[in-house]
Amino acid sequence: MLRIIGKARWRDRVAELREQIEGGRRYARLLAQRHAAELAYEKGRNDAPLSPAERRLAKRVGALDSLDRSLSPSGRTALRSALQTAISGPNTLMPLLHLHRTAQLHEASGYAVRYAGFEDGTNFDLLIARNGTEAEIACDTFSAEDGHNVHRAAWTRLVDQIDPDLQTWLAAHPGRYLLKMTLPNGLRDAESDAGMATDAEKLPDESVLATLHRRITEMLKSAKRADHDEAAVLRLDPLMLAAAQADENGLLARLRSEFGPEANLAITAGGQSVFVLAARAGTENEVAVAMRRRLAAIAPARLTGTRPGILAMFVEDTDRLEWRLLREKLTLEGEARHFLTFPEARAVVAVTCASRFELAGNDNAETAMRFRNPSHPAAKLPALADAVVSIV
């Protein structure tokens, strides 16, 4: 990939990312997760040890070089422009890797694949063909944060701000504590209704964070056990879990079991003392609903309607537990199938869903999520079966 973007540009990007993630604070670790592909590629380039997931991501980044070689001069120019955007500011390589992986999966199924977005400037990304039948594929990335009531970016920044105060307080009040927070209005980014391109990187509303931070520190200073208003309900109790003196991972597992998958958890330790923060919003997360809204917004804009269309969705900013539950509870399937009944879905023959866990994993049928639109005229065409038949 260095041949495409240049060594100097890549060196600048790596330096920028390292500056953002140095120190190991929670928000920095969240950024490192978002930029896992870039960081894995750089590690591999320097012969540093890689985990299996990092090795696969690094390989996918390196494969963009062969994609570049396969395109026409105009297609190559469009790809290189997309690459420059992907390594700028808060953007990541993940959408490009998702597009390339989608093309590779269809090629492996026997389809001829044209990168129409790069080669022809179409609104859809890929044109697949087999036995005289064609279909358009629009690859799209949206952030799970759009469906989170407590944004992980906001949460990690809040905990980073509070952590020094908790360390000082624990030194003066040794013990094991649990601060439970219910946030009826959630904890969202300042511009939470904006698009995905920068949503996960937007800074949360500083006044909201500052107010919550102040309330927590004042509560601790005054030895109050509870504080509540319409924005937050705070309660401080002794931490009673039997695993409270175990290592952080063991304690987090117990806390996750206690508070459920949607709780936002953080642990501050000082010697033998432990302070746990546990926060929940007033309502459940709606990641699948956010995806359905995204599907309805992009289908008319990205597909021509002259051929069967496939929307290949990439769900970013989700963790492994959330992704597993979204799959197992069939919430993504339910909302995708709901969308397929909408007028906006008239041109859509199928919807597919993937995350970074598929990008960093092995390509096999077990990782596929695909939902066919039974009402589309092309839904039962044999030539499209491998691209549209439902797999969950």
Side-chain angles (χ1 to χ4, degrees), residues 67 71 99-100 103 107 113-120 125-126:
L67 170 59
L71 297 173
L99 189 160
H100 193 205
E107 287 172 343
V113 177
R114 180 175 177 80
Y115 288 84
F118 294 142
E119 299 282 21
D120 309 316
D125 297 293
L126 305 170

Side-chain angles (χ1 to χ4, degrees), residues 34 85 88-92 95 141-143 146 194-202 294 317:
R34 293 201 77 241
T85 299
S88 300
N91 302 316
T92 78
T141 299
F142 86 99
S143 174
D146 293 346
M196 159 58 201
T198 60
D199 185 59
E201 295 290 348
K202 290 195 191 77
R294 181 71 176 171
D317 303 313

Side-chain angles (χ1 to χ4, degrees), residues 9 34 59 76 84-85 88 106 153 158 184 186 190 235 252 263 265 292 309 325 384:
R9 178 68 186 92
R34 293 201 77 241
K59 183 178 179 181
R76 201 172 297 136
Q84 291 296 334
T85 299
S88 300
H106 286 85
L158 173 66
R235 181 173 179 82
L252 274 174
L265 302 169
R292 186 241 300 159
L325 292 176
L384 287 182

